[in-house]
Amino acid sequence: MQDPLEVLRRVFGYEAFRGHQRAAIDAVVAGRDALVLMPTGAGKSLCYQVPALVRPGVAVVVSPLIALMQDQVAALAQNGVKAAALNSALDGRERAGVERAVREGRLDLVYVSPERFAAPGFLELLERAPLALFAIDEAHCVSQWGHDFRPDYRQLAVLAERFPAVPRIALTATADEATRADILRELRLEGAERFVSGFDRPNIRYTVRPRRERVRQLLAFLAGRRGEAGIVYCMTRKRVDDVADALNRAGVPALAYHAGMEAGERAAAQARFVASDDAVMVATVAFGMGIDKPDVRFVAHLDLPKSLEAYYQETGRAGRDGLPAEAWMLYGPGDAAQLGRFIEQSEASEEQKRVERGKLEALMRYAEAATCRRQILLGYFGDGCEPCGNCDACLDPPELFDGTEAAQMALSAIYRTGQRFGGGHIIDVLRGRETERVLRLRHDGLPTFGVGKDRRVGEWRSILRQLTAAELVAAENLEGFTVLRLGPEARAVLRGERQVQLRLEKREARARRQPGERRERGAPAASSDRTGFEALRALRHRLAQEQGVPAYVVFQDNALHAMLERRPASLEEMAEVPGVGATKLRRYGEAFLEALRALPSPPAD
Ligand code: ADP
Ligand code: ZN
């Protein structure tokens, strides 16, 4: 039998296994079942791809998305691995061809959709084939607690009985206990060895900004990121279309994706995004499940996500290649109220609603955090960390002030106006503005009228948001209007029994300057040789286009950066570059050596 490390080096061109990869691979190679929980980008695929090559026979990989299978098969082919996909996209002849190859054991891996297991004759086909293992990717799809429930995954339970001698490995990036228990039970994997990694994604920088104007702020964010691929999430389909239009008008080529689009258009947009190395995709959360494009450099949220779980999954699509990436979110005061209204109006049971409210609160704590965002995020998943140094709160700590008096003013204005108004009116009262409504309601006669004159509107908005996050104010959404009421702890503050620490709102001018500055400072191992990178990228682009495959399956960004850093001068030296396996060396080694020779010499250190 081949040595797994040998396979990793020769086929994939990587030097060493990471984290739990080796242990999980050893278990499967030895014929034992495994459950692998690793964050996105940790390298789950190798946990079954290496055993597939080490063990005799064909590895059957269950994967939920057909579009994705195609990319995986293409990426494996680039490494000289014999892989195929078996799904409804094939015509009868093609399918027969793949089935024959499976039966005769001529493939290393075959990717199949979960529906396939219900197709007549499929299990019989597998019984006649020499099988190396079953890999069940995105295994959380079996759980109805998850957001990606796929009833077809339930059929996979049958594998335990029909193929007791074939090891099974289930993989997911979803952390929570309920889902994990479901996977083990539903897939009959109770006896599986478990490999659970920490969920931190240290290369992702988390940033949250108060929302003023989506498009303007997004354009400012994108200005420093030309030529980078990224996803922009919006809450509604309409907003997706509007934002994509606005970007295109502003000269930023953008794609759009949402469930209201016709299936063909959607698939085309997704394919263009995956194939390109600099596309911006504006989308609802319908986009992204299983997108394993490694070079997504940023994920921007223009609206609050549904929960921290969803946020973690969505932002997790950034920086799978381990290079620096950004999770950037805009957050507005109305968001929480709107999400709260969705919860209250849903058909869910009271029990379920309580769970949902708890999730919303956690999300608010994250959005309003004055301390390390990563600590809050990981803490939510039961993991801890030191202040991370790679989030906005760490990099640019908010200044705190004793906000007790300001909180008392705001709470009293809410109380005295009858707990019937939104933030706008409350702020008018605090700042002493004689608007038509203020005068009509005689709110100019209230003792709180004008007490908050010396704070700007933006400051008061920020204070109200923070009070809401701290549950001193309850924001309720009534028929589209947000109404502020006193929260459970408000009285203690009004009576002077409780102090309130608040974060000072920074002026936007300052906030806007920061990303650029920080980027230089936090610059990673990634090569700074921009011209060289562009040259290699152009070559990669050409090679990918000739074959009709995504750019990243030729080489990922880190391989290009490593070439620029090491400047290999021979095929032998090229073979040492991470990501250059034997097959890619043969196919592309010379072309990239030539491109490197054509570059000006690297800047001296
Ligand atoms: P996941 O499925 O866990 O999200 P992938 O399997 O797609 O992650 O791997 C993420 C990235 O890490 C890929 O670019 C992959 O090539 C790279 N990778 C995985 N394992 C290793 C390793 N041992 N050494 C170097 N790169 C690795
Ligand atoms: Zn931090």
Side-chain angles (χ1 to χ4, degrees), residues 8 14 16-18 21 39-46 294 320 556:
L8 179 77
Y14 295 136
F17 286 111
R18 291 178 182 162
Q21 280 178 331
T40 305
K44 285 186 285 301
S45 322
L46 287 179
R320 273 174 177 255
Q556 297 188 12

Side-chain angles (χ1 to χ4, degrees), residues 543-577:
L543 293 169
Q545 280 221 313
E546 282 167 12
Q547 307 171 70
V549 297
Y552 75 81
V553 311
V554 172
F555 280 123
Q556 297 188 12
D557 285 358
N558 9 18
L560 302 190
H561 287 303
M563 287 179 201
L564 287 168
E565 235 155 65
R566 301 183 180 202
R567 298 287 175 137
S570 64
L571 282 177
E572 243 176 345
E573 285 173 16
M574 183 62 101
E576 297 291 304
V577 173

Side-chain angles (χ1 to χ4, degrees), residues 206-468:
Y206 297 96
T207 303
V208 180
R209 294 260 171 254
R211 189 173 63 227
R212 299 199 165 82
E213 204 189 313
R214 287 185 183 81
V215 171
R216 194 173 50 73
Q217 287 174 286
L218 177 63
L219 282 171
F221 171 77
L222 293 176
R225 291 168 184 78
R226 280 298 168 97
E228 296 185 354
I231 306 174
V232 177
Y233 280 116
C234 302
M235 182 129 61
T236 62
R237 299 171 185 185
K238 165 134 185 12
R239 185 160 296 140
V240 166
D241 290 333
D242 292 349
V243 170
D245 283 349
L247 291 185
N248 282 313
R249 273 200 308 277
V252 180
L255 300 160
Y257 186 109
H258 57 66
M261 285 157 58
E262 186 234 313
E265 257 183 298
R266 231 165 40 212
Q270 170 157 344
R272 277 182 60 195
F273 177 72
V274 171
S276 135
D277 56 5
D278 60 0
V280 174
M281 171 63 91
V282 186
T284 61
V285 295
F287 178 74
M289 145 89 152
I291 291 290
D292 64 356
K293 185 172 166 57
D295 56 354
V296 175
R297 295 269 67 86
F298 61 85
V299 171
H301 281 80
L302 301 191
D303 300 288
L304 269 195
K306 245 191 100 217
S307 63
L308 276 184
E309 282 97 334
Y311 183 67
Y312 202 63
Q313 198 179 44
E314 286 149 25
T315 54
R317 291 171 188 141
R320 273 174 177 255
D321 54 12
L323 295 175
E326 301 228 22
W328 183 83
M329 179 166 96
L330 294 180
Y331 159 60
D335 292 5
Q338 185 170 6
L339 288 173
R341 185 167 52 107
F342 290 156
I343 295 172
E344 301 315 323
Q345 289 176 348
S346 79
E347 310 273 271
S349 65
E350 195 41 45
E351 163 74 21
Q352 185 66 28
K353 284 186 183 173
R354 215 172 38 242
V355 173
E356 298 290 328
R357 280 185 214 115
K359 290 189 172 187
L360 178 56
E361 277 160 25
L363 190 59
M364 296 283 291
R365 271 198 302 283
Y366 174 79
E368 285 293 348
T371 55
C372 177
R373 305 237 187 239
R374 194 179 309 270
Q375 281 184 326
I376 297 177
L377 209 48
L378 294 181
Y380 181 73
F381 294 112
D383 254 7
C385 71
E386 296 295 301
C388 73
N390 196 24
C391 72
D392 58 343
C394 283
L395 287 163
D396 185 22
E399 292 161 47
L400 297 179
F401 69 100
D402 180 353
T404 311
E405 197 189 5
Q408 285 169 338
M409 289 178 186
L411 294 173
S412 142
I414 290 170
Y415 182 69
R416 290 184 188 270
T417 51
Q419 311 192 60
R420 297 188 289 126
F421 299 94
H425 183 70
I426 300 297
I427 292 171
D428 286 342
V429 171
L430 285 164
R431 300 186 71 235
R433 288 192 60 213
E434 298 181 339
T435 64
E436 182 272 328
R437 181 157 58 171
V438 165
L439 297 175
R440 177 163 41 86
L441 296 164
R442 309 249 162 84
H443 285 167
D444 52 336
L446 295 176
T448 35
F449 185 73
V451 291
K453 255 205 246 354
D454 52 352
R455 288 188 194 279
R456 290 174 295 123
V457 176
E459 286 175 79
W460 277 119
R461 287 226 169 264
S462 158
I463 291 169
L464 288 176
R465 267 201 319 272
Q466 296 181 61
L467 294 178
T468 310

